[in-house]
Amino acid sequence: MQYSNPVIPGFYPDPSICRVGDDYYLVTSSFEYFPGVPLFHSKDLVNWRQIGHCLMTERQLPLANAGSSGGIYAPTIRHHDGWFYVVTTNVSGIGNFYVRSEQPEGPWSDPVPVMQEGIDPSLFFDEDGRVYFQYACYGSIYQCEIDISTGSMLTESTLIWEGTGGAYPEAPHLYKVNGLYYLMISEGGTEYGHMATIARSDSPYGPYSPCPHNPILSHRSLNSSIHATGHADLVQAHDGSWWAVFLGIRPVSYPFRHHLGRETFLAPVSWTADGWPIIGEGGRIEPLMEAPKLPEVRWPLKATRDDFDEPTMGFDWIFMRNPAPESWSLHESPGNLVLRGNKTSLDDAGAPAFVGRRLCHLSCSIAALLNYEPERDGEEAGLTVYMNARYHYDLAVKLKEGRKVIVFRRTVGSLRTESVLDCPAGSVILKLEARPEWFAFSVQPDQSDELELGSGESHLLSTEVAGGFTGVIVAMYALCETGHGSPARFDWFDYNPVF
Ligand code: 6LW
């Protein structure tokens, strides 16, 4: 049986995985979005369901100072002695820290800081009870021992490997196999030169001897629909087979540009006769690959419509930074998500009234029913296809010089275009058709014909143009320059992948 890559599509980069019995858990980076560090569960490594987030409170994840692509960088998840540990970095806050929980669904603890600079922290629990903390800093990989009950450092940090000469050695993970310590990292930068490399030693502190088959994973200079593979983590399945999760991208158009962000991929790991792990076929992976020989467990398909009838938001929904409590409500108008604009706009590095989900498919149909009668001039509410504060396409209902209008706006760096149509009173359905190379916007006012507003190229919202580490988010939003805007009632939100 085959499976298709990515196994977790959409902006879910820097994956880390651990196994407890026949259960697999996986976390990814989340940057300026809240809640942080999405947590996934699988029984077969192919079918994943999100079961929550590890950072659910502002105390765990203060993001007020996080710019675009700030906040939470790469996490690592490990399980030891009955506890789950997730270690990560808030680059816009306390730096390196971990949270822990006895159940993967939480509650997760308050942050335990590790007073060590750098990014991409990882944990290794050795058989003698020692706990090692690895991280990337100053272009090398460092390690110290820590007291896992307090996060305090028990030894000085020492440089343990500088990689094979690629730029930016990062994403370290340490494994012990047949009595040897294997240190896997990524090099070459997270773009088209990305690769995973590995070295081994008979001591956790090295010296580490590099694998003669490095890189053990890379799509650099390959003719493939998948690029930038790297930032990998290894797991031994409960049937004894080895697998790797790692990030990759799926560029569209030429020159290569990708807008979904870095996604999570899976590939088998084989061991060479001289005891080295190789990911995929000689480091190359495919969109379709042989599935693990584990009992397949599929999860219930997600509903394509969210009616906002539940008391809490589903796990797919994320906010931009820590949301202002008064900017959103599921209780003000039962059966609706109500947004009230504040003074923060989509162009600001703040916390606008914004509830979004990752765009996980190159082709999909998205729509939302909006009841909104703006009373303050300049206030608006609608949908945005958002890469970051300087690159987004918006479709909104707005009060403009006393008239209720529909606005279609494209913000591409310093360039901005805007088209306006009169909007009849009453509700409107805001529509977005996403295809690999473009986004098309239209509205369906109540009792009226659909009106096409325009389209925008996807490559203008791509990482190669917009920069950063995230991927496109489709969000409902509201803004009001005077603060506390009129209620924007979103009755439902549809997300229908087009295959
Ligand atoms: C991540 C690091 C990286 O921490 O980017 O480019 C950072 N490589 O591994 C954010 O994904």
Side-chain angles (χ1 to χ4, degrees), residues 303-339:
T304 57
R305 171 166 293 188
D306 191 333
D307 281 309
F308 305 121
D309 290 336
E310 299 299 323
T312 58
M313 296 300 289
F315 296 137
D316 282 340
W317 295 111
I318 51 178
F319 298 89
M320 175 114 55
R321 301 179 184 86
N322 308 111
E326 67 276 7
S327 67
W328 71 283
S329 172
L330 285 173
H331 310 294
E332 179 179 339
S333 175
N336 291 273
L337 167 65
V338 176
L339 296 184

Side-chain angles (χ1 to χ4, degrees), residues 446-458:
D446 190 20
Q447 313 297 325
S448 302
D449 294 335
E450 185 167 340
L451 303 168
E452 293 185 359
L453 272 294
S455 62
E457 299 90 335
S458 62

Side-chain angles (χ1 to χ4, degrees), residues 7-8 69 72 74 121 124 135 141 151 179 185 236 240 243 291 303-304 310 374 418 424 434-435 437 444:
V7 288
I8 304 180
S69 288
I72 294 295
F124 174 72
Y135 59 95
I141 306 300
I185 71 171
Q236 185 171 24
W243 294 83
T304 57
E310 299 299 323
E418 195 167 287
R435 295 294 181 273
E437 309 217 4
Q444 174 97 54

